Amino acid sequence: MTDIVKAEALFHFFDLNLTPYNDSKTLVNANQILKDTAHHIYDSLRTGNKAIVIDRHEGSTTRSERRLVITQFAYSLPDKKYKGKIRLLRDKDLPAFLKKEDYSEVDFDKIKEEYFVAETTSFYIDVERGFPIVACQFNSNGPRISDVEYYLRHVCKKIKSAKKVEALIHMKHTVGEVLGSIQEVLKFDMKISPDLLKYLNPDAKESFFNNMNGLSGSIDPFFLRIEAFFQIQGSDKKAKNGKSLAFIKRLLNQIVKGGEETIENFEEFNLKYMKTGGEVAEFVLVKDREEMKVPYLNTRELAAAAVAQFDQYLEKKYGTQISA
């Protein structure tokens, strides 16, 4: 008998920081803000029968539209979690559909007159620890964590429930820990799409990236990879490290200010460094996030398995104590 091969979904975690307006009298904490925001989205879907569609790139003359819509967002009493689905709508560069019996192509032009192709990202929000903690599926072609953050920020401002919405990613090693212990830079390398260089958050811009942007405009590559070595392997000889150390510290600080939107622009960012005391350590910006991998056969099984693993992660990280 052939074993059934399951798909696997990757999830990352983040705290959802929701800051109420100063004059707010009733929305006193993040959980209440989230509850009201979820109700507004749910009511728009069910009562008004009209989903809230947000184009993240609206008004941009250089970026193609990025239309996002949350089509599911409700609290599950048995799981004690909000369960949501955010979708990225596509009507260009659509995939081909072939009939199974003869592999002939379906006339998709007729189908797309009535339907969107939607890349879907599932997310689950725990509020039992006194503040929202999110497990968000990673979908390379669909909505990312920064899309969830942007969408909720848009809705919160619309209903005046929060003036600030920020995703704080769970990392195995925080940038702050690196900044507090780094003594020498031994090596760093980064990979980034040239198209994304000019869209880095303004707080994270650096002359180094401006130079990379100028280079990409001259030679038009698919991506840029920069590697810098400050130690010769097998030798005690090291480069003078003052400029590289100052650059890395400045860059990491600016990446922190830029938040998840800036981090998502990097395909790779790896740092090998020496700590105070001589210990050699490594920091991987993109891959150093806390994560869980969930095998599944269908969406129902995915939800059940993801919630179960999410609970295990929360208990390990925070213990069993929950809010009253």
Side-chain angles (χ1 to χ4, degrees), residues 200-223:
L200 284 173
N201 187 297
D203 288 336
K205 282 188 177 176
E206 150 81 45
S207 59
F208 179 81
F209 290 127
N210 292 333
N211 294 334
M212 289 175 66
N213 199 20
L215 175 64
S216 68
S218 300
I219 60 178
D220 198 24
F222 286 111
F223 64 85

PDB file of all heavy atoms in Angstrom, residues 200-223:
ATOM      1  N   LEU A 200      12.791  49.737   0.253  1.00  0.00           N
ATOM      2  CA  LEU A 200      13.111  49.548   1.658  1.00  0.00           C
ATOM      3  C   LEU A 200      12.483  50.670   2.467  1.00  0.00           C
ATOM      4  O   LEU A 200      12.401  51.813   2.023  1.00  0.00           O
ATOM      5  CB  LEU A 200      14.626  49.553   1.871  1.00  0.00           C
ATOM      6  CG  LEU A 200      15.381  48.287   1.455  1.00  0.00           C
ATOM      7  CD1 LEU A 200      16.869  48.516   1.574  1.00  0.00           C
ATOM      8  CD2 LEU A 200      14.964  47.103   2.313  1.00  0.00           C
ATOM      9  N   ASN A 201      12.030  50.307   3.651  1.00  0.00           N
ATOM     10  CA  ASN A 201      11.454  51.317   4.536  1.00  0.00           C
ATOM     11  C   ASN A 201      12.426  52.490   4.666  1.00  0.00           C
ATOM     12  O   ASN A 201      13.621  52.286   4.842  1.00  0.00           O
ATOM     13  CB  ASN A 201      11.200  50.667   5.914  1.00  0.00           C
ATOM     14  CG  ASN A 201      10.459  51.582   6.848  1.00  0.00           C
ATOM     15  OD1 ASN A 201      10.943  52.631   7.214  1.00  0.00           O
ATOM     16  ND2 ASN A 201       9.277  51.166   7.244  1.00  0.00           N
ATOM     17  N   PRO A 202      11.947  53.721   4.571  1.00  0.00           N
ATOM     18  CA  PRO A 202      12.848  54.884   4.654  1.00  0.00           C
ATOM     19  C   PRO A 202      13.747  54.862   5.877  1.00  0.00           C
ATOM     20  O   PRO A 202      14.875  55.335   5.833  1.00  0.00           O
ATOM     21  CB  PRO A 202      11.883  56.076   4.699  1.00  0.00           C
ATOM     22  CG  PRO A 202      10.657  55.586   4.000  1.00  0.00           C
ATOM     23  CD  PRO A 202      10.547  54.118   4.362  1.00  0.00           C
ATOM     24  N   ASP A 203      13.271  54.288   6.981  1.00  0.00           N
ATOM     25  CA  ASP A 203      14.083  54.241   8.203  1.00  0.00           C
ATOM     26  C   ASP A 203      15.264  53.297   8.059  1.00  0.00           C
ATOM     27  O   ASP A 203      16.194  53.334   8.856  1.00  0.00           O
ATOM     28  CB  ASP A 203      13.221  53.806   9.393  1.00  0.00           C
ATOM     29  CG  ASP A 203      12.259  54.890   9.839  1.00  0.00           C
ATOM     30  OD1 ASP A 203      12.554  56.067   9.555  1.00  0.00           O
ATOM     31  OD2 ASP A 203      11.235  54.563  10.439  1.00  0.00           O
ATOM     32  N   ALA A 204      15.206  52.396   7.071  1.00  0.00           N
ATOM     33  CA  ALA A 204      16.258  51.393   6.936  1.00  0.00           C
ATOM     34  C   ALA A 204      17.198  51.699   5.772  1.00  0.00           C
ATOM     35  O   ALA A 204      18.017  50.884   5.415  1.00  0.00           O
ATOM     36  CB  ALA A 204      15.643  50.009   6.755  1.00  0.00           C
ATOM     37  N   LYS A 205      17.058  52.848   5.155  1.00  0.00           N
ATOM     38  CA  LYS A 205      17.918  53.183   4.025  1.00  0.00           C
ATOM     39  C   LYS A 205      19.320  53.518   4.524  1.00  0.00           C
ATOM     40  O   LYS A 205      19.518  54.042   5.598  1.00  0.00           O
ATOM     41  CB  LYS A 205      17.323  54.331   3.214  1.00  0.00           C
ATOM     42  CG  LYS A 205      16.197  53.863   2.303  1.00  0.00           C
ATOM     43  CD  LYS A 205      15.735  54.955   1.374  1.00  0.00           C
ATOM     44  CE  LYS A 205      14.667  54.421   0.429  1.00  0.00           C
ATOM     45  NZ  LYS A 205      14.131  55.483  -0.432  1.00  0.00           N
ATOM     46  N   GLU A 206      20.267  53.237   3.669  1.00  0.00           N
ATOM     47  CA  GLU A 206      21.675  53.350   4.030  1.00  0.00           C
ATOM     48  C   GLU A 206      22.421  53.605   2.732  1.00  0.00           C
ATOM     49  O   GLU A 206      22.035  53.099   1.679  1.00  0.00           O
ATOM     50  CB  GLU A 206      22.083  52.052   4.721  1.00  0.00           C
ATOM     51  CG  GLU A 206      23.504  51.618   4.581  1.00  0.00           C
ATOM     52  CD  GLU A 206      24.389  52.361   5.558  1.00  0.00           C
ATOM     53  OE1 GLU A 206      24.016  52.494   6.722  1.00  0.00           O
ATOM     54  OE2 GLU A 206      25.446  52.814   5.129  1.00  0.00           O
ATOM     55  N   SER A 207      23.472  54.411   2.761  1.00  0.00           N
ATOM     56  CA  SER A 207      24.203  54.745   1.541  1.00  0.00           C
ATOM     57  C   SER A 207      24.686  53.495   0.816  1.00  0.00           C
ATOM     58  O   SER A 207      24.785  53.464  -0.409  1.00  0.00           O
ATOM     59  CB  SER A 207      25.389  55.656   1.875  1.00  0.00           C
ATOM     60  OG  SER A 207      26.269  55.011   2.783  1.00  0.00           O
ATOM     61  N   PHE A 208      24.989  52.460   1.585  1.00  0.00           N
ATOM     62  CA  PHE A 208      25.400  51.181   1.011  1.00  0.00           C
ATOM     63  C   PHE A 208      24.334  50.664   0.040  1.00  0.00           C
ATOM     64  O   PHE A 208      24.642  50.213  -1.065  1.00  0.00           O
ATOM     65  CB  PHE A 208      25.624  50.184   2.150  1.00  0.00           C
ATOM     66  CG  PHE A 208      26.031  48.806   1.710  1.00  0.00           C
ATOM     67  CD1 PHE A 208      27.343  48.533   1.386  1.00  0.00           C
ATOM     68  CD2 PHE A 208      25.092  47.788   1.631  1.00  0.00           C
ATOM     69  CE1 PHE A 208      27.722  47.257   0.982  1.00  0.00           C
ATOM     70  CE2 PHE A 208      25.459  46.521   1.239  1.00  0.00           C
ATOM     71  CZ  PHE A 208      26.779  46.251   0.914  1.00  0.00           C
ATOM     72  N   PHE A 209      23.049  50.737   0.444  1.00  0.00           N
ATOM     73  CA  PHE A 209      21.971  50.276  -0.421  1.00  0.00           C
ATOM     74  C   PHE A 209      21.763  51.217  -1.600  1.00  0.00           C
ATOM     75  O   PHE A 209      21.395  50.781  -2.690  1.00  0.00           O
ATOM     76  CB  PHE A 209      20.672  50.140   0.379  1.00  0.00           C
ATOM     77  CG  PHE A 209      20.696  49.008   1.358  1.00  0.00           C
ATOM     78  CD1 PHE A 209      20.393  49.220   2.694  1.00  0.00           C
ATOM     79  CD2 PHE A 209      21.036  47.734   0.956  1.00  0.00           C
ATOM     80  CE1 PHE A 209      20.423  48.186   3.602  1.00  0.00           C
ATOM     81  CE2 PHE A 209      21.069  46.678   1.856  1.00  0.00           C
ATOM     82  CZ  PHE A 209      20.774  46.905   3.185  1.00  0.00           C
ATOM     83  N   ASN A 210      21.996  52.494  -1.397  1.00  0.00           N
ATOM     84  CA  ASN A 210      21.893  53.426  -2.506  1.00  0.00           C
ATOM     85  C   ASN A 210      22.920  53.095  -3.584  1.00  0.00           C
ATOM     86  O   ASN A 210      22.641  53.179  -4.791  1.00  0.00           O
ATOM     87  CB  ASN A 210      22.089  54.866  -2.017  1.00  0.00           C
ATOM     88  CG  ASN A 210      20.949  55.330  -1.134  1.00  0.00           C
ATOM     89  OD1 ASN A 210      19.831  54.845  -1.250  1.00  0.00           O
ATOM     90  ND2 ASN A 210      21.231  56.261  -0.234  1.00  0.00           N
ATOM     91  N   ASN A 211      24.127  52.707  -3.157  1.00  0.00           N
ATOM     92  CA  ASN A 211      25.162  52.306  -4.114  1.00  0.00           C
ATOM     93  C   ASN A 211      24.770  51.020  -4.840  1.00  0.00           C
ATOM     94  O   ASN A 211      25.006  50.877  -6.049  1.00  0.00           O
ATOM     95  CB  ASN A 211      26.500  52.119  -3.400  1.00  0.00           C
ATOM     96  CG  ASN A 211      27.058  53.418  -2.849  1.00  0.00           C
ATOM     97  OD1 ASN A 211      26.751  54.492  -3.370  1.00  0.00           O
ATOM     98  ND2 ASN A 211      27.857  53.340  -1.799  1.00  0.00           N
ATOM     99  N   MET A 212      24.190  50.068  -4.100  1.00  0.00           N
ATOM    100  CA  MET A 212      23.720  48.834  -4.724  1.00  0.00           C
ATOM    101  C   MET A 212      22.618  49.120  -5.733  1.00  0.00           C
ATOM    102  O   MET A 212      22.559  48.507  -6.811  1.00  0.00           O
ATOM    103  CB  MET A 212      23.206  47.869  -3.648  1.00  0.00           C
ATOM    104  CG  MET A 212      24.277  47.264  -2.770  1.00  0.00           C
ATOM    105  SD  MET A 212      23.584  46.244  -1.433  1.00  0.00           S
ATOM    106  CE  MET A 212      22.857  44.896  -2.355  1.00  0.00           C
ATOM    107  N   ASN A 213      21.753  50.055  -5.394  1.00  0.00           N
ATOM    108  CA  ASN A 213      20.661  50.433  -6.283  1.00  0.00           C
ATOM    109  C   ASN A 213      21.207  51.048  -7.574  1.00  0.00           C
ATOM    110  O   ASN A 213      20.721  50.775  -8.674  1.00  0.00           O
ATOM    111  CB  ASN A 213      19.730  51.425  -5.574  1.00  0.00           C
ATOM    112  CG  ASN A 213      18.372  51.515  -6.220  1.00  0.00           C
ATOM    113  OD1 ASN A 213      17.947  50.626  -6.950  1.00  0.00           O
ATOM    114  ND2 ASN A 213      17.667  52.596  -5.966  1.00  0.00           N
ATOM    115  N   GLY A 214      22.255  51.870  -7.448  1.00  0.00           N
ATOM    116  CA  GLY A 214      22.881  52.452  -8.626  1.00  0.00           C
ATOM    117  C   GLY A 214      23.535  51.398  -9.496  1.00  0.00           C
ATOM    118  O   GLY A 214      23.443  51.440 -10.732  1.00  0.00           O
ATOM    119  N   LEU A 215      24.184  50.418  -8.860  1.00  0.00           N
ATOM    120  CA  LEU A 215      24.813  49.327  -9.607  1.00  0.00           C
ATOM    121  C   LEU A 215      23.779  48.504 -10.360  1.00  0.00           C
ATOM    122  O   LEU A 215      23.966  48.184 -11.541  1.00  0.00           O
ATOM    123  CB  LEU A 215      25.595  48.429  -8.643  1.00  0.00           C
ATOM    124  CG  LEU A 215      26.217  47.162  -9.252  1.00  0.00           C
ATOM    125  CD1 LEU A 215      27.266  47.535 -10.294  1.00  0.00           C
ATOM    126  CD2 LEU A 215      26.830  46.292  -8.152  1.00  0.00           C
ATOM    127  N   SER A 216      22.680  48.177  -9.685  1.00  0.00           N
ATOM    128  CA  SER A 216      21.646  47.356 -10.340  1.00  0.00           C
ATOM    129  C   SER A 216      21.029  48.089 -11.523  1.00  0.00           C
ATOM    130  O   SER A 216      20.665  47.476 -12.528  1.00  0.00           O
ATOM    131  CB  SER A 216      20.559  46.962  -9.336  1.00  0.00           C
ATOM    132  OG  SER A 216      19.809  48.090  -8.923  1.00  0.00           O
ATOM    133  N   GLY A 217      20.931  49.423 -11.416  1.00  0.00           N
ATOM    134  CA  GLY A 217      20.398  50.190 -12.538  1.00  0.00           C
ATOM    135  C   GLY A 217      21.325  50.175 -13.731  1.00  0.00           C
ATOM    136  O   GLY A 217      20.879  50.332 -14.878  1.00  0.00           O
ATOM    137  N   SER A 218      22.615  49.972 -13.474  1.00  0.00           N
ATOM    138  CA  SER A 218      23.598  49.974 -14.561  1.00  0.00           C
ATOM    139  C   SER A 218      23.700  48.630 -15.270  1.00  0.00           C
ATOM    140  O   SER A 218      23.922  48.571 -16.478  1.00  0.00           O
ATOM    141  CB  SER A 218      24.986  50.351 -14.008  1.00  0.00           C
ATOM    142  OG  SER A 218      24.953  51.628 -13.416  1.00  0.00           O
ATOM    143  N   ILE A 219      23.538  47.532 -14.529  1.00  0.00           N
ATOM    144  CA  ILE A 219      23.765  46.209 -15.128  1.00  0.00           C
ATOM    145  C   ILE A 219      22.521  45.326 -15.167  1.00  0.00           C
ATOM    146  O   ILE A 219      22.541  44.238 -15.745  1.00  0.00           O
ATOM    147  CB  ILE A 219      24.901  45.463 -14.381  1.00  0.00           C
ATOM    148  CG1 ILE A 219      24.537  45.263 -12.896  1.00  0.00           C
ATOM    149  CG2 ILE A 219      26.213  46.233 -14.506  1.00  0.00           C
ATOM    150  CD1 ILE A 219      25.579  44.486 -12.115  1.00  0.00           C
ATOM    151  N   ASP A 220      21.418  45.739 -14.514  1.00  0.00           N
ATOM    152  CA  ASP A 220      20.120  45.071 -14.599  1.00  0.00           C
ATOM    153  C   ASP A 220      20.175  43.581 -14.262  1.00  0.00           C
ATOM    154  O   ASP A 220      19.774  42.736 -15.062  1.00  0.00           O
ATOM    155  CB  ASP A 220      19.538  45.268 -16.005  1.00  0.00           C
ATOM    156  CG  ASP A 220      18.033  44.991 -16.043  1.00  0.00           C
ATOM    157  OD1 ASP A 220      17.395  45.100 -14.980  1.00  0.00           O
ATOM    158  OD2 ASP A 220      17.515  44.655 -17.124  1.00  0.00           O
ATOM    159  N   PRO A 221      20.660  43.195 -13.064  1.00  0.00           N
ATOM    160  CA  PRO A 221      20.707  41.782 -12.683  1.00  0.00           C
ATOM    161  C   PRO A 221      19.360  41.299 -12.128  1.00  0.00           C
ATOM    162  O   PRO A 221      18.494  42.110 -11.791  1.00  0.00           O
ATOM    163  CB  PRO A 221      21.763  41.765 -11.574  1.00  0.00           C
ATOM    164  CG  PRO A 221      21.583  43.102 -10.914  1.00  0.00           C
ATOM    165  CD  PRO A 221      21.207  44.063 -12.019  1.00  0.00           C
ATOM    166  N   PHE A 222      19.195  39.961 -12.038  1.00  0.00           N
ATOM    167  CA  PHE A 222      17.996  39.404 -11.416  1.00  0.00           C
ATOM    168  C   PHE A 222      18.051  39.599  -9.903  1.00  0.00           C
ATOM    169  O   PHE A 222      17.031  39.831  -9.261  1.00  0.00           O
ATOM    170  CB  PHE A 222      17.855  37.915 -11.729  1.00  0.00           C
ATOM    171  CG  PHE A 222      17.415  37.644 -13.142  1.00  0.00           C
ATOM    172  CD1 PHE A 222      18.283  37.057 -14.048  1.00  0.00           C
ATOM    173  CD2 PHE A 222      16.148  37.996 -13.577  1.00  0.00           C
ATOM    174  CE1 PHE A 222      17.894  36.811 -15.352  1.00  0.00           C
ATOM    175  CE2 PHE A 222      15.744  37.755 -14.873  1.00  0.00           C
ATOM    176  CZ  PHE A 222      16.624  37.162 -15.775  1.00  0.00           C
ATOM    177  N   PHE A 223      19.241  39.444  -9.311  1.00  0.00           N
ATOM    178  CA  PHE A 223      19.412  39.720  -7.890  1.00  0.00           C
ATOM    179  C   PHE A 223      20.859  40.105  -7.636  1.00  0.00           C
ATOM    180  O   PHE A 223      21.742  39.886  -8.476  1.00  0.00           O
ATOM    181  CB  PHE A 223      19.006  38.529  -7.018  1.00  0.00           C
ATOM    182  CG  PHE A 223      19.857  37.294  -7.206  1.00  0.00           C
ATOM    183  CD1 PHE A 223      21.050  37.136  -6.513  1.00  0.00           C
ATOM    184  CD2 PHE A 223      19.465  36.277  -8.068  1.00  0.00           C
ATOM    185  CE1 PHE A 223      21.841  36.009  -6.671  1.00  0.00           C
ATOM    186  CE2 PHE A 223      20.249  35.145  -8.242  1.00  0.00           C
ATOM    187  CZ  PHE A 223      21.430  35.010  -7.548  1.00  0.00           C
TER     188      PHE A 223
END
